[in-house]
Amino acid sequence: MSVIVLLDGSPETSAACSFAIALAQTTNRNLIAQAVIDRNAVMSLTGYSGYAGLCGSGVFLEAYHGIVKTLSELNESLLMSLTARAEGYGVKVNSHIDVGGVQEMLAARLEQQDSILVLADSDWSARMVDLLRFDGPAILVAAEQGIARKITIIANDSWTTRLQTIMASYLPAVSSNSQQPSLTSMAA
């Protein structure tokens, strides 16, 4: 079993990554770090409609490939930083950069693994867990200024109990002050 975390470079994702590293270390699991370059979002940035034969479509495709290359380099830097942090705690990391739809790429990764999914908490991530119809446990980490403030476990009862036990040992270890993140659970 692995812990999967989705990166986007935000401070919220940084807190989710810290949590994912601690969870992987505490449970003796590998960490799978995934970055997804959303193909449709990049295409919309270039203004390219996707239809072949349009006058100047080569310019749009060149812009698309340039943006994907730049985002790939940025994501590679994020993944290298995460890998260095995780390996400092003895956690093995497998990292991936995929180009496509975020939902499809994450679903494909989840199908390959028996995993715990960790995401930065947002309206998007809650919808993503629902859309994926992921039957494994998912953990949403809400953060303020890169510090975890609320952790939500979405899982069946047996997973919720196991994860709450893990959290009991995790939360005191990561809290640099007396403010520990709150812990809530929701049925999967």
Side-chain angles (χ1 to χ4, degrees):
M1 177 173 272
S2 299
V3 176
I4 295 181
V5 65
L6 187 65
L7 287 94
D8 68 7
S10 68
E12 294 79 16
T13 298
S14 179
C17 288
S18 295
F19 176 83
I21 290 168
L23 181 62
Q25 181 189 34
T26 304
T27 59
N28 200 30
R29 290 177 165 78
N30 289 341
L31 179 64
I32 297 175
Q34 175 152 6
V36 178
I37 298 169
D38 188 328
R39 178 181 296 130
N40 291 333
V42 173
M43 288 297 250
S44 70
L45 284 174
T46 66
Y48 181 59
S49 65
Y51 296 108
L54 292 175
C55 219
S57 63
V59 173
F60 291 110
L61 289 176
E62 188 174 322
Y64 167 82
H65 290 295
I67 292 169
V68 168
K69 181 179 184 237
T70 300
L71 290 173
S72 294
E73 291 168 356
L74 174 65
N75 283 316
E76 186 64 37
S77 295
L78 291 170
L79 291 169
M80 285 178 15
S81 174
L82 174 67
T83 300
R85 281 177 34 203
E87 288 176 349
Y89 290 98
V91 174
K92 183 180 177 211
V93 179
N94 297 316
S95 60
H96 306 275
I97 300 173
D98 296 316
V99 179
V102 176
Q103 180 181 342
E104 292 79 14
M105 296 293 103
L106 188 54
R109 188 77 51 217
L110 289 168
E111 284 178 8
Q112 300 169 7
Q113 306 288 328
D114 183 16
S115 305
I116 300 171
L117 176 62
V118 178
L119 297 171
D121 194 1
S122 67
D123 292 339
W124 174 88
S125 59
R127 283 193 318 273
M128 182 61 68
V129 170
D130 191 41
L131 289 171
L132 289 169
R133 301 195 189 293
F134 178 54
D135 60 358
I139 300 172
L140 305 180
V141 180
E144 289 176 11
Q145 300 175 339
I147 299 170
R149 297 294 183 208
K150 178 182 172 193
I151 297 171
T152 304
I153 299 170
I154 304 172
N156 63 31
D157 289 339
S158 67
W159 264 112
T160 298
T161 302
R162 289 167 59 191
L163 289 171
Q164 285 174 334
T165 302
I166 292 168
M167 296 298 110
S169 64
Y170 164 77
L171 293 176
V174 298
S175 295
S176 58
N177 56 33
S178 61
Q179 286 190 321
Q180 292 185 0
S182 64
L183 178 64
T184 59
S185 301
M186 297 169 42

